[in-house]
Amino acid sequence: MIYLFSNKLDFNEILPTVLKNRGVEDIEKYMNPSAEDEIHYSKLKNMNKAVELFKKHMNQNSRVIIVTDRDADGVTSSAIMHKYIEDHVPQLDVVNIQHPKRENGLTEHMMTSIKELTDNYTIEQTQLVILPDASSNDKEQHEFLNSKGIDVLVLDHHEVHTLPTDNVDTVVVNPQLSPDYSNKQISGVGVTYKFLQALDDSLGLNGSEDNIELVALGNVSDSMDIREPETRSIVVRGLENVENSFMKALIEKFKDGRVPLNPHSLSWTVLPKFNALIRVGTVEELQFVYEAMLGREGTFENPRARTEKNRIETWQEKAVRLCNNAYGKQRRMRTKLVDQVTEFIDENKLDRFNIIIAPMKDLDSQGLTGYVAGQLVNNYKKPVVLMNYDEETEMYSGSLRGLESVIEDLKGYLESTGLFELLAGHSSAAGAVIHKDNIVPLLKRIAEDIEYNVTVEYDFEIDYSEVTPELISHVDGLSNYWGKNVEPPMFAIKNTDIPMEYFEYKPNVSRVKNRGHELMMFSTPDILQEHAKKDVVVKGTVYGELSINRFFNNVTDQIKVEEFVVEEVVEQSDEDMFDFLF
């Protein structure tokens, strides 16, 4: 292990030290975000063409088909576009179509759906297909639709591997294609929001701000870098003005009212439920939730309600319940899949490689490869590429999840091998496709290239005796500043004693109380598993975050353990026996 960023603890210096360590260039600007930090939409290449294409269809009273990408960014992108049209351009006939599984862009299924909606391309009414958060690389499909008299508008942010068509009936707006647009860390819903701003100015409207909270939700869910001044400003403004009825209901149901609404609390409490519905919900359930975001109204009977009071639900209440049900279903599916993949990894000793490649032939992942891979990263403390085999194509396809302490840019490294057919997504979270014949060469490359030298970067080194309620309260109160790439401070806590007699080990999360603090860990070292419930004390150094755990009426000072380095195991003394009480 290599430990970095040791600093003497000073309450007043905690926040500036953490921001500096996270690479925030202008601390004052970060702490006080402003709309002035947001880049004008005109810096996005082709924005004027996009507006003119849309206005052409306004004048022709066209049908607009919105292709909803199946992730939180895609759903929010489609929703703000859909709602804007309904509220401000009602002469347009707008519909949306959903992917049946975790796919992106103009897949075969979506092309078939468009064909059906246009009655085999025979409807005389002019058509416009809008693709928020997807389809920058679907040149062939764009040209085909253009040949059938259908215009295409792409509002995307993903990497571009194929230059867009020259056909004027397709317009692609993407910051990756815009040299003058400096923020490459804006999500699809952010690009869609910029388009709506441009429409506002062109049409003399003020509708782009109507659902700014959904723009914030999409940026946070897609793990956009919160250090970007524009992204931070949009997110902060959005979370300060939550009016969308579905998002309000979701927050009220799952976020503790004692905790401020910010990217950190949103990621921990609200987004897991929303994302679960997107991952494992049916198309009908996803469409129901989507329409809740559009503000649909109605009442429904819940046949499984435990009390008469809860039997009748509003549209938003039912949508929230569907999200919660999906979350429970997803957890059960994850447990089964993680056990299956773990057995495969262990049997084949794949964890001896410093990037775990898990090419499976019988994995019914049901769209959860990325989610499961993320859990395996936590368990093995190594990057994971989890894939399933397709006999027809002889390809393995799935998802990768990185671990920056092992390799900073997992996707970039895998691309450098030249062995993959496709790698699409972000540096530490992407889709992957590889031919079966390249699996062994890939493993050989990894064995040669990647050393396992895990770096635990910490901000402050303190003694366990210095972990006071005042310190934990102060750190917990800084949560408004945390987000993607600006994580809470990491503490190296020396002289930590764990009384194993009270250690509650579970595969998913282990806990123990000691001197008034609860130590909680998602990945439990073998030595702690071995000594659980024994009359011994394990001594060492904890690397973790400080927080306050609020669960109903229970409020507990907590240390979230990232790593625990054991220094010795000793017999429990009479004095140690009662340490957990204090």
Side-chain angles (χ1 to χ4, degrees):
M1 300 268 182
I2 300 173
Y3 307 108
L4 305 176
F5 298 140
S6 176
N7 289 281
K8 185 178 180 181
L9 185 63
D10 181 333
F11 276 29
N12 294 326
E13 291 299 315
I14 288 178
L15 180 57
T17 297
V18 173
L19 295 182
K20 180 180 178 182
N21 288 347
R22 301 298 181 271
V24 174
E25 295 180 358
D26 189 330
I27 291 176
E28 183 63 28
K29 180 179 286 189
Y30 183 89
M31 293 175 65
N32 299 284
S34 166
E36 294 179 0
D37 299 325
E38 297 175 27
I39 305 168
H40 196 266
Y41 59 76
S42 61
K43 299 291 186 181
L44 283 164
K45 186 178 179 181
N46 294 332
M47 185 60 85
N48 288 339
K49 293 179 181 179
V51 170
E52 291 307 311
L53 181 67
F54 187 87
K55 289 171 68 176
K56 163 189 164 183
H57 289 276
M58 283 179 56
N59 296 331
Q60 296 177 353
N61 295 335
S62 300
R63 163 173 279 193
V64 175
I65 301 171
I66 300 176
V67 177
T68 303
D69 216 39
R70 190 151 182 167
D71 61 20
D73 190 20
V75 172
T76 52
S77 300
S78 291
I80 67 168
M81 185 78 252
H82 200 140
K83 192 80 169 76
Y84 186 97
I85 293 174
E86 286 190 342
D87 292 349
H88 301 288
V89 197
Q91 67 266 37
L92 292 176
D93 174 20
V94 58
V95 297
N96 79 294
I97 50 179
Q98 302 277 3
H99 285 277
K101 57 183 179 180
R102 290 297 292 273
E103 294 179 323
N104 307 98
L106 289 172
T107 61
E108 182 177 348
H109 174 86
M110 295 315 247
M111 294 295 284
T112 300
S113 297
I114 293 170
K115 181 178 180 180
E116 292 172 353
L117 282 170
T118 58
D119 196 13
N120 199 22
Y121 313 116
T122 61
I123 294 178
E124 293 184 3
Q125 184 185 28
T126 309
Q127 311 285 326
L128 172 64
V129 172
I130 301 180
L131 292 129
D133 187 40
S135 197
S136 287
N137 296 295
D138 294 338
K139 178 180 178 180
E140 182 178 337
Q141 295 95 314
H142 300 161
E143 292 179 338
F144 176 82
L145 292 174
N146 292 163
S147 74
K148 298 297 183 180
I150 298 172
D151 293 346
V152 176
L153 174 58
V154 174
L155 302 168
D156 193 15
H157 72 122
H158 292 98
E159 293 178 351
V160 179
H161 307 291
T162 304
L163 288 178
T165 178
D166 293 329
N167 196 319
V168 295
D169 296 327
T170 289
V171 177
V172 177
V173 180
N174 187 323
Q176 313 304 331
L177 294 171
S178 307
D180 295 332
Y181 200 86
S182 59
N183 182 14
K184 309 303 181 185
Q185 284 290 321
I186 189 168
S187 66
V189 72
V191 176
T192 306
Y193 167 62
K194 291 293 176 177
F195 172 70
L196 298 182
Q197 286 183 323
L199 274 184
D200 273 353
D201 285 353
S202 182
L203 302 175
L205 298 173
N206 189 30
S208 60
E209 299 297 318
D210 291 351
N211 289 282
I212 186 66
E213 62 270 58
L214 296 183
V215 184
L217 180 68
N219 272 278
V220 175
S221 70
D222 216 33
S223 299
M224 294 295 98
D225 193 338
I226 202 70
R227 295 173 300 185
E228 282 286 348
E230 176 178 52
T231 303
R232 177 155 168 76
S233 174
I234 290 173
V235 168
V236 169
R237 287 199 301 113
L239 297 185
E240 287 176 347
N241 299 280
V242 178
E243 297 296 334
N244 182 274
S245 57
F246 166 70
M247 190 168 167
K248 284 180 75 171
L250 202 63
I251 291 167
E252 289 171 3
K253 174 68 175 179
F254 298 119
K255 187 190 74 65
D256 191 309
R258 296 166 291 185
V259 177
L261 179 63
N262 52 49
H264 191 62
S265 62
L266 195 70
S267 298
W268 276 91
T269 61
V270 177
L271 276 172
K273 281 73 175 183
F274 183 44
N275 282 328
L277 189 283
I278 294 170
R279 289 191 185 104
V280 304
T282 65
V283 170
E284 293 75 21
E285 289 170 337
L286 181 54
Q287 183 64 22
F288 188 91
V289 170
Y290 178 83
E291 294 189 26
M293 298 177 80
L294 298 180
R296 301 287 189 260
E297 295 181 350
T299 57
F300 306 87
E301 182 177 355
N302 177 9
R304 296 186 178 182
R306 295 182 179 179
T307 64
E308 197 63 31
K309 177 183 176 182
N310 297 325
R311 188 166 297 280
I312 303 301
E313 302 173 306
T314 66
W315 199 302
Q316 283 67 35
E317 287 171 342
K318 180 176 178 179
V320 169
R321 178 171 60 82
L322 290 175
C323 290
N324 198 35
N325 290 348
Y327 181 68
K329 177 183 178 181
Q330 178 185 256
R331 286 169 63 91
R332 293 189 294 273
M333 292 169 64
R334 181 187 67 178
T335 298
K336 181 179 179 181
L337 289 167
V338 167
D339 289 346
Q340 181 183 353
V341 180
T342 299
E343 182 179 356
F344 177 80
I345 291 172
D346 293 347
E347 282 182 356
N348 293 280
K349 298 181 173 58
L350 295 172
D351 55 334
R352 72 184 186 274
F353 297 97
N354 295 326
I355 297 173
I356 296 177
I357 307 296
M360 302 189 66
K361 292 192 174 181
D362 57 351
L363 183 68
D364 183 15
S365 65
Q366 300 182 59
L368 293 179
T369 52
Y371 183 57
V372 172
Q375 182 62 49
L376 294 168
V377 170
N378 289 336
N379 294 351
Y380 286 97
K381 298 299 181 185
K382 291 181 177 182
V384 172
V385 183
L386 174 60
M387 300 174 291
N388 200 37
Y389 187 60
D390 184 330
E391 289 187 1
E392 184 176 339
T393 62
E394 297 188 329
M395 298 285 184
Y396 286 94
S397 63
S399 301
L400 66 86
R401 290 296 182 268
L403 186 64
E404 291 184 6
S405 58
V406 176
I407 184 166
E408 188 171 343
D409 183 357
L410 176 60
K411 175 173 167 284
Y413 167 73
L414 295 177
E415 284 175 333
S416 73
T417 67
L419 296 171
F420 282 81
E421 300 293 321
L422 175 70
L423 288 161
H426 307 294
S427 61
S428 294
V433 179
I434 188 171
H435 192 273
K436 67 173 186 177
D437 293 343
N438 286 336
I439 293 292
V440 172
L442 175 63
L443 292 173
K444 290 180 177 178
R445 280 289 302 271
I446 291 171
E448 294 171 0
D449 295 345
I450 308 298
E451 295 183 6
Y452 190 66
N453 188 16
V454 176
T455 301
V456 179
E457 298 180 343
Y458 66 86
D459 301 281
F460 306 101
E461 181 179 300
I462 60 176
D463 191 85
Y464 192 87
S465 63
E466 297 178 85
V467 182
T468 62
E470 293 77 18
L471 174 60
I472 293 178
S473 177
H474 179 81
V475 172
D476 186 76
L478 299 174
S479 64
N480 282 340
Y481 298 102
W482 314 141
K484 177 61 178 178
N485 291 332
V486 185
E487 289 77 16
M490 181 69 68
F491 290 83
I493 306 172
K494 311 287 285 185
N495 300 314
T496 299
D497 297 350
I498 297 183
M500 297 307 297
E501 181 181 357
Y502 308 103
F503 190 83
E504 298 289 341
Y505 166 69
K506 292 182 180 179
N508 292 331
V509 59
S510 298
R511 304 176 189 271
V512 65
K513 285 190 175 182
N514 187 27
R515 301 180 188 177
H517 311 312
E518 179 184 69
L519 284 79
M520 181 269 289
M521 55 191 76
F522 292 110
S523 180
T524 306
D526 291 343
I527 193 169
L528 296 184
Q529 297 180 36
E530 294 168 6
H531 287 91
K533 297 300 181 182
K534 295 182 180 178
D535 293 334
V536 297
V537 174
V538 177
K539 297 176 177 286
T541 299
V542 159
Y543 299 87
E545 300 174 4
L546 306 181
S547 65
I548 296 176
N549 182 34
R550 301 169 178 87
F551 186 72
F552 293 101
N553 294 324
N554 296 319
V555 179
T556 308
D557 289 346
Q558 191 174 73
I559 303 172
K560 295 179 182 177
V561 180
E562 182 73 20
E563 294 284 346
F564 183 69
V565 178
V566 176
E567 294 162 4
E568 62 176 331
V569 179
V570 300
E571 294 296 322
Q572 183 170 266
S573 67
D574 291 341
E575 183 178 343
D576 293 328
M577 192 177 300
F578 301 103
D579 271 354
F580 75 98
L581 294 172
F582 302 102

